[in-house]
Amino acid sequence: MSLVSLKVAGRERVRDEGELALVVGRRCSQLADDDALSFVAGYTCLNDVTARDLQKSDVQFTRAKGFDTFCAVGPYIETALDPANVQVETHVNGTRRQSGVTSLMIYPPAFLVRWISRMMTLMPGDVIATGTPAGVGPLVAGDMVEVTIAGIGVLRNPVQAPQA
């Protein structure tokens, strides 16, 4: 199990974001109409934890999403998944907060790989977070976050207060 810390650097507005993650398998750059998903080694669950107060105040999201433990990934990489229409759900303490299917995402996985490869070279092992369904909410110490993706499994993250 991965650990997700709470109240990092005095932040109180910490939120969960369950997402499908794409794990790059082959170097790619400047993809045009290539089969972008052929450059993906597999798929996994991702908990894109965010400090919302920093996300709102900063011009870009690096600090809000960059704290240690904030991007838990797992439980393993599934190589035989078709990402076109899979269910993504997030539960906190057993209560469903988020539910959506990848077919309703603004940008499909293949588009994301192509688009990102036009800005930067993607290398094996790089992870692309695809976006989150509506329904994120606050996290407090003691919570258990579960990101479930059909065909992959469940990523479980206990939320802990930082050590003094």
Side-chain angles (χ1 to χ4, degrees):
M1 244 187 283
S2 300
L3 299 179
V4 177
S5 291
L6 178 71
K7 296 184 181 180
V8 175
R11 298 297 153 204
E12 301 290 333
R13 294 188 56 221
V14 177
R15 304 294 188 260
D16 57 280
E17 297 181 22
E19 305 185 26
L20 173 68
L22 315 177
V23 181
V24 176
R26 295 189 294 138
R27 182 183 184 280
C28 61
S29 180
Q30 302 298 320
L31 296 179
D33 292 329
D34 305 71
D35 179 15
L37 294 182
S38 72
F39 293 89
V40 174
Y43 308 88
T44 194
C45 305
L46 186 140
N47 187 0
D48 189 13
V49 178
T50 304
R52 289 283 195 225
D53 53 335
L54 291 176
Q55 184 180 24
K56 185 174 182 174
S57 68
D58 289 0
V59 175
Q60 53 99 356
F61 298 173
T62 302
R63 234 178 12 141
K65 293 181 175 283
F67 289 102
D68 290 343
T69 75
F70 264 31
C71 189
V73 179
Y76 56 85
I77 298 171
E78 175 57 56
T79 59
L81 184 78
D82 176 356
N85 191 35
V86 295
Q87 185 81 32
V88 178
E89 291 191 333
T90 305
H91 291 79
V92 176
N93 302 325
T95 301
R96 186 173 68 190
R97 276 202 184 156
Q98 297 180 283
S99 184
V101 291
T102 55
S103 62
L104 297 178
M105 293 191 315
I106 295 171
Y107 300 109
F111 173 87
L112 292 172
V113 174
R114 276 192 302 275
W115 186 70
I116 294 169
S117 81
R118 293 173 188 169
M119 289 176 278
M120 64 185 74
T121 300
L122 293 168
M123 301 298 288
D126 285 348
V127 175
I128 298 171
T130 59
T132 191
V136 300
L139 296 175
V140 297
D143 283 348
M144 176 62 75
V145 181
E146 296 177 312
V147 177
T148 304
I149 299 180
I152 296 175
V154 182
L155 169 64
R156 290 182 180 85
N157 302 122
V159 179
Q160 298 180 337
Q163 300 287 326

